[in-house]
Amino acid sequence: MGFRGVLVPVLTPFKADLSPDAGRFLALCRHLLAEGAAGLAVFGTTSEANSLSAGERKALLEMLVENGIGADKLMPGTGACSITEASELAGHAAGLGCGGVLMLPPFYYKGVPDDGVFAFVDTVISRVGSDRLKVYLYHIPPVAQVGYSLDVVGRLVSAHPETVVGLKDSSGDWSNTAALLDAYPQLEIFPGSEVFLLDGLRKGGAGCITATGNVAVPSIKAVFDGFEGPDADEKQAKVTAVRRRFQETGPMVPVLKAYIARKSGDADWTTVRPPMVAADSDAVAALDADLEAMGFSYTAPRG
Amino acid sequence: MGFRGVLVPVLTPFKADLSPDAGRFLALCRHLLAEGAAGLAVFGTTSEANSLSAGERKALLEMLVENGIGADKLMPGTGACSITEASELAGHAAGLGCGGVLMLPPFYYKGVPDDGVFAFVDTVISRVGSDRLKVYLYHIPPVAQVGYSLDVVGRLVSAHPETVVGLKDSSGDWSNTAALLDAYPQLEIFPGSEVFLLDGLRKGGAGCITATGNVAVPSIKAVFDGFEGPDADEKQAKVTAVRRRFQETGPMVPVLKAYIARKSGDADWTTVRPPMVAADSDAVAALDADLEAMGFSYTAPRG
């Protein structure tokens, strides 16, 4: 039960007409699990999920399960601004047997009170009304602007102790992750970057859910597997350096896609949906050269 | 053709179970038109539209047209983060013959380049592929965070001169509205607050689209109708004072709903969807007393 390890917010490949490419999506999901990903947080920020409709997300999720991806390995995002869509997506995922869902707070209206954020999640859980629903709160204030305060996390856990079982902290603020780990040891808490993986594990964290996992599961998993070993800090320093090098190159999603395109020889991988724009190919060539010089090893998905 | 005057982003009433109340919505729309609203910008920020699913919005829009609200008076919002949903909503509205649509930029991903915002709107217009589509760009950076820069407005107008015909500026920054009026005289430009109504009209603006219109069409329309008269500034000062008094009371949407509930005797009007929370009733009572002292006259919708 539950998730533990390196989870990947899987990139969503698109065809030239901007429709989701189910075949390449399935191939990437299989590849990531084969590389040791503990779970697939499909339809997250890195997945351009908020550039997909609810219907597109449901169709892709069903496709994965029908093609043998274990539902227990799936933690689909339910990002939506309305209780209507968030309930529909969460109920759909629970109905398919997904191991959990990653739930953004409603993110259109800004400056909303904690009472409103609490009521949103509470209403969605009530509407789904299923013991199979396991909610991981998705805290990413740099993007969503609206977040889950330490207090509202506690209120949601108290109100729904069997349902609200975890949290992804993409605040980029280690002090917030540490405070959550101290306050709610019963939760599965995942930093949203492998930069905080070792620090998190040493305080009882459950692993990490990280964009870079799309290209670097093996090295990040090595930190997770060996976190109590003598060279844990050295391994962490290496994955941190790789992460930083990706971040320096440009916005993460287009850069990751362009890197996969370059390494796989499949130029279609560069396609992003508006409002994102494709990465600069020269910058990605420089990234590739630097990563090779750093000894970073990458294997592209097949198909 | 086009819109000119006081447009209202109509509040969406909810039942106790948080479902939209079609009957009260229709009654409010009829009331606002009878009071002199030049158009109904249903499904805007004030409408809690981003707390509604696409399906809920489409059903309400069809209900209005079926019940005799003139489609030419309707400028529904198409707020969505995906080209899929934005195209679906814009195409639906154009198919019903709506006078226009009010189009938010995609608002989940932050710090996106102008090229991405341009590509989003350009793709939506291409997908709808209808001469009947008239797009009003909706610039509201305090909420959406992502906005339409002066440059991207120009690029969209140049690329789609028959389709991109107007803009609502809810930046709250008069210098931005003035720059738009100077740069694009061919556009129908509406400040997002009646505070800038007179200044806008004197520079060639088309009117305003304002939340307060839900309770104050007659007094705001008096500024519009008499903007070249001798007492225009005095009328403007009065509506500005009323607007400020509403804003001081709390977040605009719950306050407007609570005010209508108080004045109509229909307590159901206080209901908002999460993440909003109902307004403080004592604060609304004080608002009501102050508005009466200011000589503000309000007529509630019937039904």
Side-chain angles (χ1 to χ4, degrees):
Chain A
M1 292 297 292
F3 289 92
R4 186 166 176 77
V6 180
L7 278 72
V8 183
V10 186
L11 292 161
T12 307
F14 296 111
K15 298 179 187 173
D17 68 358
L18 301 180
S19 63
D21 188 326
R24 283 188 292 140
F25 186 53
L26 176 62
L28 178 58
C29 287
R30 285 179 170 154
H31 173 73
L32 294 170
L33 290 173
E35 281 197 316
L40 302 176
V42 295
F43 315 139
T45 300
T46 303
S47 318
E48 296 173 78
N50 290 105
S51 298
L52 300 173
S53 70
E56 288 171 328
R57 286 181 257 176
K58 286 163 66 177
L60 285 172
L61 190 64
E62 290 168 17
M63 181 280 297
L64 291 180
V65 174
E66 285 164 7
N67 283 278
I69 301 291
D72 60 320
K73 299 288 187 189
L74 292 166
M75 187 196 288
T78 61
C81 296
S82 71
I83 49 172
T84 321
E85 282 192 340
S87 303
E88 178 188 335
L89 290 166
H92 178 256
L96 288 171
C98 290
V101 300
L102 194 54
M103 190 172 291
L104 276 172
F107 53 83
Y108 181 69
Y109 296 101
K110 306 304 187 297
V112 293
D114 272 5
D115 284 349
V117 174
F118 175 86
F120 183 95
V121 178
D122 182 65
T123 302
V124 170
I125 290 172
S126 298
R127 287 192 172 198
V128 174
S130 166
D131 292 346
R132 297 173 75 178
L133 178 66
K134 301 296 172 190
V135 171
Y136 294 75
L137 303 171
Y138 186 11
H139 180 60
I140 182 169
V143 183
Q145 306 286 320
V146 178
Y148 293 109
S149 70
L150 201 65
D151 182 61
V152 90
V153 171
R155 289 173 59 191
L156 285 165
V157 172
S158 295
H160 303 285
E162 303 298 321
T163 302
V164 178
V165 298
L167 182 142
K168 176 182 180 187
D169 184 5
S170 294
S171 65
D173 173 6
W174 167 250
S175 69
N176 188 63
T177 311
L180 286 161
L181 286 163
D182 285 336
Y184 310 114
Q186 71 273 43
L187 288 185
E188 300 165 33
I189 294 180
F190 298 87
S193 164
E194 71 273 34
V195 167
F196 304 114
L197 175 56
L198 191 55
D199 287 339
L201 292 170
R202 286 173 174 163
K203 275 186 76 74
C208 66
I209 305 176
T210 179
T212 340
N214 280 282
V215 295
V217 165
S219 54
I220 302 169
K221 185 170 186 293
V223 176
F224 178 83
D225 290 339
F227 92 94
E228 292 176 312
D231 55 354
D233 289 282
E234 188 184 336
K235 287 175 179 164
Q236 175 69 60
K238 283 183 182 171
V239 303
T240 296
V242 168
R243 166 87 180 197
R244 299 292 191 215
R245 188 62 191 82
F246 270 96
Q247 285 180 316
E248 287 165 15
T249 306
M252 200 58 145
V253 175
V255 167
L256 286 168
K257 285 188 154 181
Y259 181 77
I260 294 176
R262 180 180 173 87
K263 302 300 276 187
S264 66
D266 177 358
D268 288 348
W269 258 110
T270 58
T271 308
V272 292
R273 271 199 176 180
M276 292 197 186
V277 299
D280 178 75
S281 59
D282 289 344
V284 175
L287 164 71
D288 186 12
D290 282 358
L291 291 176
E292 291 200 5
M294 292 160 74
F296 178 70
S297 168
Y298 173 70
T299 308
R302 287 177 199 167
Chain B
M1 293 297 290
F3 290 91
R4 186 164 175 78
V6 179
L7 279 73
V8 183
V10 186
L11 292 162
T12 307
F14 296 112
K15 299 179 185 172
D17 67 359
L18 302 180
S19 63
D21 188 325
R24 282 188 292 142
F25 186 53
L26 176 62
L28 178 58
C29 287
R30 285 180 170 154
H31 172 73
L32 294 169
L33 290 173
E35 283 198 315
L40 302 176
V42 295
F43 315 139
T45 299
T46 303
S47 318
E48 297 173 79
N50 290 106
S51 298
L52 299 173
S53 69
E56 287 171 326
R57 286 182 258 177
K58 287 163 65 177
L60 285 173
L61 190 62
E62 290 168 18
M63 182 280 298
L64 291 181
V65 173
E66 286 165 7
N67 282 278
I69 301 291
D72 60 320
K73 299 287 187 191
L74 292 167
M75 186 196 287
T78 62
C81 297
S82 71
I83 49 173
T84 321
E85 282 191 340
S87 304
E88 178 188 336
L89 289 167
H92 178 257
L96 287 172
C98 289
V101 300
L102 194 53
M103 192 172 291
L104 276 172
F107 54 83
Y108 181 68
Y109 296 100
K110 305 304 187 298
V112 295
D114 272 4
D115 284 350
V117 174
F118 175 86
F120 183 95
V121 178
D122 182 65
T123 302
V124 170
I125 291 171
S126 298
R127 287 192 173 198
V128 174
S130 167
D131 292 346
R132 298 173 75 178
L133 178 65
K134 301 297 173 190
V135 171
Y136 293 76
L137 302 172
Y138 185 11
H139 181 60
I140 182 168
V143 183
Q145 306 285 319
V146 178
Y148 293 108
S149 70
L150 201 65
D151 183 62
V152 91
V153 171
R155 289 172 60 191
L156 286 166
V157 172
S158 296
H160 303 284
E162 303 298 320
T163 303
V164 178
V165 298
L167 183 141
K168 175 183 180 187
D169 185 5
S170 295
S171 65
D173 173 7
W174 167 249
S175 69
N176 188 64
T177 311
L180 286 161
L181 286 163
D182 285 336
Y184 310 114
Q186 72 272 44
L187 288 183
E188 299 164 33
I189 294 180
F190 297 87
S193 165
E194 70 274 32
V195 168
F196 304 114
L197 175 56
L198 191 55
D199 288 338
L201 291 169
R202 286 172 174 164
K203 275 187 76 77
C208 66
I209 305 176
T210 180
T212 339
N214 279 284
V215 295
V217 165
S219 54
I220 303 170
K221 185 169 185 292
V223 176
F224 179 83
D225 289 340
F227 92 95
E228 292 175 313
D231 54 355
D233 288 282
E234 188 185 335
K235 287 176 180 163
Q236 175 69 59
K238 283 184 183 170
V239 303
T240 295
V242 168
R243 165 88 179 197
R244 299 293 190 215
R245 188 61 190 82
F246 270 97
Q247 286 179 316
E248 287 164 14
T249 306
M252 200 57 144
V253 175
V255 167
L256 286 167
K257 286 188 153 182
Y259 180 77
I260 295 176
R262 180 180 174 86
K263 302 300 276 186
S264 67
D266 177 359
D268 288 349
W269 258 110
T270 58
T271 307
V272 293
R273 269 198 177 181
M276 292 197 186
V277 298
D280 178 74
S281 58
D282 289 343
V284 174
L287 164 70
D288 185 12
D290 282 358
L291 291 177
E292 292 199 5
M294 291 160 74
F296 177 70
S297 167
Y298 173 69
T299 308
R302 286 178 202 166

